[in-house]
Amino acid sequence: MRSARKPLSTYRRIVIKIGSALLVDRASGLKTAWLHAICADIAALKAKGVDILVVSSGAIALGRSVLKLPGGALKLEESQAAAAVGQIALARAWSESLSQDAIIAGQVLLTLGDTEERRRYLNARATMTQLLKMGAIPIINENDTVATSEIRYGDNDRLAARVATMIGADLLILLSDIDGLYTAPPHLDPQAQFLETIPSITPEIEAMAGGAASELSRGGMRTKIDAGKMATGAGCAMIIASGKVDHPLSALGDGARSSWFAPSTTPVTARKTWIAGQLLPSGSLAIDAGAETALRSGKSLLPAGVRDVTGSFSRGDTIAILSANGREIARGLAGYDADETRQIVGRKSGEIAAILGYAGRAAMVHRDDLVMTGATQQPMTEDTERRDIHA
């Protein structure tokens, strides 16, 4: 049965994306009152036990205001300079505003590579997870100061979706200057109809995506639909709502108009198909019968259950997991480099710190990064593995 829209306070973890036009006014700069209002909303949700992460646009827009740069398109180096200045001001503003409710903010700057390359992906996820455990709120933005291609406002829609899937959020909220999805761009077509609920993102839904409505938010509906495809496919619901009002999250709770995108009914398959089918294994772990039973019951792979290690891999690489008879039964993302893995094979998790010299992860492959494949292929040898990797 497909899940339905529910109160924000009942979600476990929410990623909130905030568009540049909501935070920054070209003439006056940072909209401090609006920022204080949404921080109060965030504090109210956090007090109810909801994990909150914020993907905040606005660094370039704020930087060009501080630097008094003229309107119009900026050169790449001008955008980078504006981002460098604006990021400091933006982070300070979030920190000061959240501190009014005794909440600590942690800044996380990401690039596309941080979300696509597995090792960096795991490190970024671990950092954000630890911030949440410590009660802090991650304030995330793309690291525009080192961009090597043209910077576009609005790309944070897709970044927010990547963060939501990375962190296992169950709701993504995109706040911008439009209150949801219409059958056509409402500023161009007065007959455009508002869509309150989108059960799935079909080609027809994609065709409805129009252009942006403001200079500061150039991502438009296209990037929001792209974000929706990523988020809902991983089992995360999505809401597109207007952030123009004060206390926009409270307004959502009071029934403000918005478009709700239902999550996929098969999120595990949607998310883990990527691990099972799209990445080639860089090595393999042979495990005993007890570890296989544990994996099939949904548990992580611990070092004690591993009997042999094959291949050369780094933490975050995809590895095959082989049963006692040499058949591949699962694939997952390695929690340790190959050399470290060989040192802790067969040992208890409590011994890891003494062996490696640092307190590593208890799991060799965490259950969140593992998918049972049930393949019936021939046992993997070093030769066949090498051919698989370089095929």
Side-chain angles (χ1 to χ4, degrees):
M1 181 179 178
R2 187 177 293 276
S3 59
R5 188 187 291 233
K6 57 185 182 180
L8 298 186
S9 61
T10 62
Y11 285 93
R12 179 182 58 86
R13 182 168 290 169
I14 300 175
V15 173
I16 304 166
K17 182 266 176 178
I18 297 170
S20 298
L22 301 179
L23 271 172
V24 182
D25 180 84
R26 170 181 288 183
S28 58
L30 184 71
K31 298 179 181 179
T32 304
W34 185 91
L35 179 60
H36 290 340
I38 194 169
C39 283
D41 286 352
I42 290 171
L45 285 173
K46 189 175 185 299
K48 294 179 180 178
V50 183
D51 285 343
I52 301 291
L53 300 92
V54 176
V55 176
S56 176
S57 303
I60 295 176
L62 185 56
R64 70 186 295 165
S65 174
V66 173
L67 293 170
K68 296 180 171 32
L69 297 177
L74 297 176
K75 297 178 181 178
L76 174 60
E77 58 271 24
E78 291 174 330
S79 292
Q80 292 171 324
V85 172
Q87 198 61 252
I88 293 175
L90 189 64
R92 181 174 65 247
W94 276 106
S95 179
E96 291 177 352
S97 190
L98 287 170
S99 69
Q100 294 182 6
D101 289 287
I103 297 174
I104 297 173
Q107 185 184 50
V108 180
L109 296 178
L110 297 175
T111 63
L112 180 63
D114 294 324
T115 62
E116 301 303 313
E117 199 274 319
R118 305 319 321 150
R119 186 183 183 105
R120 289 154 66 186
Y121 165 95
L122 289 175
N123 285 331
R125 186 179 70 179
T127 297
M128 290 186 284
T129 299
Q130 189 61 42
L131 283 169
L132 293 173
K133 287 181 179 178
M134 291 177 169
I137 290 185
I139 306 297
I140 304 152
N141 196 6
E142 187 171 2
N143 193 357
D144 292 331
T145 60
V146 295
T148 55
S149 59
E150 183 183 0
I151 298 170
R152 288 193 62 209
Y153 309 119
D155 283 351
N156 274 352
D157 291 326
R158 287 185 286 257
L159 175 60
R162 289 189 175 99
V163 169
T165 58
M166 175 190 298
I167 204 68
D170 46 358
L171 178 63
L172 168 64
I173 301 175
L174 302 182
L175 293 178
S176 66
D177 47 10
I178 191 167
D179 57 5
L181 177 65
Y182 290 78
T183 54
H187 60 292
L188 299 177
D189 184 357
Q191 302 302 317
Q193 296 180 350
F194 179 80
L195 300 179
E196 183 176 0
T197 299
I198 296 87
S200 62
I201 298 177
T202 62
E204 291 76 17
I205 293 295
E206 293 188 68
M208 295 174 187
S214 77
E215 180 183 357
L216 292 180
S217 287
R218 293 185 180 168
M221 193 56 66
R222 174 74 266 164
T223 61
K224 290 172 176 55
I225 296 301
D226 289 344
K229 290 169 66 177
M230 284 187 279
T232 60
C236 177
M238 187 179 84
I239 292 175
I240 297 176
S242 172
K244 289 183 176 180
V245 299
D246 285 342
H247 298 283
L249 301 180
S250 295
L252 277 176
D254 293 335
R257 188 157 78 162
S258 62
S259 292
W260 184 80
F261 294 72
S264 168
T265 56
T266 57
V268 173
T269 299
R271 185 174 67 85
K272 293 192 175 182
T273 294
W274 174 80
I275 296 176
Q278 296 186 13
L279 295 182
L280 296 174
S282 300
S284 65
L285 303 179
I287 64 175
D288 60 27
E292 180 176 350
T293 299
L295 294 190
R296 294 192 183 281
S297 67
K299 296 182 180 179
S300 299
L301 177 61
L302 302 181
V306 180
R307 292 293 172 260
D308 191 28
V309 182
T310 301
S312 177
F313 51 86
S314 298
R315 175 175 166 244
D317 287 348
T318 299
I319 53 177
I321 299 173
L322 312 181
S323 66
N325 64 7
R327 305 284 186 179
E328 180 183 318
I329 60 169
R331 286 191 184 183
L333 305 182
Y336 290 92
D337 294 344
D339 290 342
E340 294 175 327
T341 299
R342 290 185 172 92
Q343 294 180 57
I344 60 176
V345 160
R347 308 299 288 267
K348 295 180 180 179
S349 297
E351 300 177 272
I352 292 176
I355 296 172
L356 299 181
Y358 71 94
R361 294 164 170 78
M364 194 82 81
V365 179
H366 194 276
R367 63 184 181 183
D368 290 344
D369 300 323
L370 183 146
V371 55
M372 304 303 295
T373 60
T376 57
Q377 64 188 45
Q378 294 297 318
M380 181 180 287
T381 65
E382 288 189 6
D383 288 338
T384 58
E385 177 202 343
R386 193 174 296 113
R387 287 197 299 270
D388 286 343
I389 294 172
H390 296 289

